[in-house]
Amino acid sequence: MYGGGYIFEETKNGERTVEDPKRLEDFEARIQAGEKIEPMDWMPAEYRKQLIRMIEQHAHSEIIGALPEGTWITRAPGFRRKLALMAKVQDEVGHAQLLYSAAETLGKPREMMINDLITGKSKYSNVFNYPAVTWADTAVIAWLIDAGAIINQVANSKGSYGPYCRALERICMEESFHLKYGHDNVVFLATGTPKQREMVQDALNRWWKPIMHFFGPSDKISVHTETLMRWKVKMASNDDMRQKFLDMYVPKIWELGLSIPDQKLKKNEDTGIWDYTEPDWEEFKRVINGDGPCNKERLAVRRRAEEKGEWVRKALMRNAEEYTIPLS
Amino acid sequence: MSLKSLDPRITREGLPEEPDNTPVENIHHWTTFEVFHQTKKGDRHIHVGSVHAPNHEMAYILAKEQFARRADCVSLWIVKTSDVYQTNYRDEDMYENNQEKMYREAGGYKVMERINKYRKEHSK
């Protein structure tokens, strides 16, 4: 599971590295021809920088994304659901490992990324700064957040950087179970007792805002976005992915007789485009910069895990072994 | 004051309420190992990714969890990344072949024409 709406770094004027025009031309021609770029290949400094940032945020989102659901493992209703939730959470952490490896091939060691996460320097998907209040929240997360993640990841798996694409292919394969598992949980509650229906409706009301924030703000067509799209780093605009999500999942939500807390939400039959209340992007910015209901808890929990594991890593450490960048 | 969470286990941890921005001390960089996975006996081992570990045994444990957790698997190979000798795509041209290599293809040998000619000449 991963959150969309990557935060790409704006490159200020004068900061951009001037690349060898011949090499840049060859590089762009290769991407145009659908070739993958591999770790040892030449690439523009800006391509490397934005990819590290994007893959790293994705990896952090997997790790932090395991936390809201993970807190429900001990309180899962029934043994089968507990097993399934444990398996899902383990998958998410495994995805983080695959992604860290992919980012490492670009030259940033994994431990440095983890350090940047814990110190608050790197971002992760904003949705995980919200709490999973009841069991129904985990059902909504597993179904709809994972659904959004799949839309995003399928698009990105057609990108230009080989190691990232390969990691995503494996991840998407595993995510299909998460989606079915989440849908099953939502359907169970929605077709259950009035109390269960109320629980899942409440959870949906709580999560609709983060879900709409999930793909990130409308992207202005800037030179920046255009370059990233030409380099196949960014594969679809945030709005396009949001529309795709609404198209696929709103009917499935309505079919269960659940309501969505947005009076304006409606598909325009002529244009095929969904109208909705513009999400509060000020809140999005505020939360991503640290002021959400769970930011502090997420980072504190991650830091504590790092501290608790330190003696194990130290005990196994062999100083003679030098770190090597993984192959691909 | 410590952090209050909806999860009682987290509340019990007594985590600090204010964010701690100090970097993690003593970052431990384990080395990396490449993992090759075999789906069933008789298949080839295929490279599936890498793990960080202090030695081969730990690398195996982590690789098993990471790459054999869900897919079928009968065997894993673990190789230290630094032991892999690899060529650079910059030198890709050294794999370019002379196009005129029909002498090493089965299709480069056409004998029937000669045989037929021979038989025609000698059948009289």
Side-chain angles (χ1 to χ4, degrees):
Chain A
M1 164 180 23
Y2 143 70
Y6 291 119
I7 310 299
F8 290 100
E9 196 165 20
E10 268 318 319
T11 308
K12 292 171 198 81
N13 279 340
E15 238 184 30
R16 199 177 288 272
T17 317
V18 181
E19 303 289 356
D20 177 342
K22 174 72 182 94
R23 284 183 139 173
L24 186 62
E25 192 186 311
D26 290 348
F27 170 84
E28 293 194 344
R30 285 184 57 196
I31 291 179
Q32 205 60 43
E35 271 184 56
K36 300 286 181 199
I37 305 300
E38 295 296 338
M40 305 275 269
D41 289 335
W42 182 88
M43 60 186 86
E46 182 68 11
Y47 177 83
R48 185 184 299 276
K49 187 168 102 181
Q50 298 289 359
L51 264 178
I52 291 178
R53 173 172 275 254
M54 176 170 92
I55 304 172
E56 182 184 347
Q57 279 177 30
H58 189 166
H60 295 332
S61 303
E62 302 283 351
I63 288 264
I64 298 294
L67 299 178
E69 287 180 289
T71 62
W72 280 94
I73 290 174
T74 53
R75 296 171 284 173
F79 188 60
R80 192 171 175 272
R81 291 195 187 88
K82 190 189 187 91
L83 281 176
L85 182 56
M86 279 198 290
K88 178 178 189 297
V89 167
Q90 191 189 25
D91 280 353
E92 308 297 6
V93 177
H95 296 169
Q97 306 296 334
L98 294 174
L99 292 161
Y100 283 131
S101 286
E104 276 180 87
T105 61
L106 291 157
K108 184 168 180 179
R110 189 178 67 174
E111 273 66 16
M112 202 187 275
M113 292 186 256
I114 290 173
N115 190 47
D116 285 351
L117 168 67
I118 294 176
T119 53
K121 195 178 159 208
S122 297
K123 300 292 178 223
Y124 54 88
S125 178
N126 207 33
V127 286
F128 306 124
N129 288 320
Y130 292 87
V133 180
T134 70
W135 170 256
D137 292 56
T138 68
V140 171
I141 295 172
W143 184 31
L144 296 176
I145 301 289
D146 279 60
I150 291 172
I151 290 174
N152 196 292
Q153 287 166 172
V154 167
N156 280 345
S157 73
K158 312 223 168 33
S160 62
Y161 190 57
Y164 187 43
C165 299
R166 289 190 287 273
L168 286 176
E169 276 168 23
R170 196 181 184 96
I171 290 171
C172 288
M173 217 166 61
E174 299 190 352
E175 295 274 358
S176 55
F177 136 64
H178 302 176
L179 183 72
K180 292 291 271 186
Y181 155 85
H183 193 206
D184 185 78
N185 272 334
V186 169
V187 170
F188 186 88
L189 293 170
T191 58
T193 63
K195 179 77 193 154
Q196 285 172 324
R197 279 189 65 83
E198 195 189 316
M199 259 177 83
V200 75
Q201 181 65 61
D202 276 354
L204 183 61
N205 294 348
R206 270 193 291 280
W207 281 87
W208 190 251
K209 192 172 56 181
I211 286 167
M212 290 301 280
H213 280 153
F214 183 80
F215 295 101
S218 284
D219 7 41
K220 286 166 246 123
I221 293 302
S222 64
V223 182
H224 185 71
T225 314
E226 202 196 315
T227 308
L228 291 175
M229 286 184 120
R230 192 172 65 243
W231 288 349
K232 295 187 185 168
V233 171
K234 189 170 173 49
M235 295 301 288
S237 84
N238 296 349
D239 282 334
D240 286 350
M241 286 189 286
R242 191 165 18 245
Q243 285 292 334
K244 194 167 182 193
F245 172 82
L246 293 172
D247 226 23
M248 287 171 80
Y249 291 95
V250 171
K252 289 191 167 77
I253 297 169
W254 281 342
E255 145 192 303
L256 295 168
L258 297 170
S259 64
I260 293 171
D262 180 357
Q263 297 300 320
K264 274 202 199 160
L265 186 69
K266 194 173 170 290
K267 187 173 180 171
N268 183 323
E269 289 304 334
D270 299 330
T271 59
I273 293 172
W274 288 84
D275 294 324
Y276 50 80
T277 310
E278 193 60 28
D280 182 352
W281 297 113
E282 285 310 308
E283 176 181 334
F284 176 80
K285 271 189 226 155
R286 200 165 41 86
V287 174
I288 216 161
N289 286 320
D291 195 17
C294 293
N295 300 52
K296 286 175 186 170
E297 177 181 326
R298 302 285 182 245
L299 291 187
V301 166
R302 190 65 202 88
R303 177 182 283 272
R304 180 58 58 90
E306 193 72 14
E307 287 165 359
K308 278 185 167 174
E310 193 188 344
W311 72 271
V312 181
R313 292 192 303 276
K314 230 174 174 171
L316 288 167
M317 194 67 191
R318 285 189 204 163
N319 289 327
E321 296 290 3
E322 259 187 54
Y323 167 78
T324 318
I325 295 177
L327 286 187
S328 69
Chain B
M1 278 297 279
S2 63
L3 220 133
K4 291 266 176 297
S5 169
L6 287 168
D7 185 343
R9 294 174 311 151
I10 292 175
T11 306
R12 284 200 296 274
E13 280 286 326
L15 299 165
E17 206 174 45
E18 280 316 301
D20 178 358
N21 292 329
T22 54
V24 184
E25 273 179 60
N26 300 318
I27 291 185
H28 302 283
H29 290 279
W30 284 347
T31 193
T32 56
F33 292 80
E34 301 300 319
V35 183
F36 298 79
H37 172 275
Q38 190 187 31
T39 309
K40 61 174 201 289
K41 272 190 184 174
D43 283 358
R44 288 169 200 282
H45 282 73
I46 292 169
H47 181 250
V48 283
S50 59
V51 291
H52 286 235
N55 53 45
H56 285 91
E57 290 76 16
M58 267 304 284
Y60 167 72
I61 292 170
L62 295 169
K64 178 172 170 288
E65 209 55 33
Q66 177 71 294
F67 298 106
R69 169 177 91 244
R70 292 183 53 160
D72 289 345
C73 179
V74 291
S75 157
L76 289 176
W77 288 348
I78 312 288
V79 180
K80 203 188 274 180
T81 306
S82 57
D83 285 343
V84 176
Y85 186 78
Q86 56 172 329
T87 57
N88 197 308
Y89 288 115
R90 268 201 301 272
D91 306 321
E92 216 174 336
D93 57 355
M94 69 186 177
Y95 301 107
E96 267 172 28
N97 274 326
N98 180 353
Q99 294 307 302
E100 282 297 310
K101 275 201 175 176
M102 283 310 280
Y103 61 84
R104 66 186 313 163
E105 307 283 339
Y109 295 88
K110 298 197 189 327
V111 291
M112 283 320 288
E113 208 176 297
R114 257 189 110 79
I115 291 175
N116 290 338
K117 187 171 169 237
Y118 175 85
R119 285 162 78 175
K120 208 169 154 192
E121 283 170 11
H122 290 265
S123 62
K124 286 169 204 156

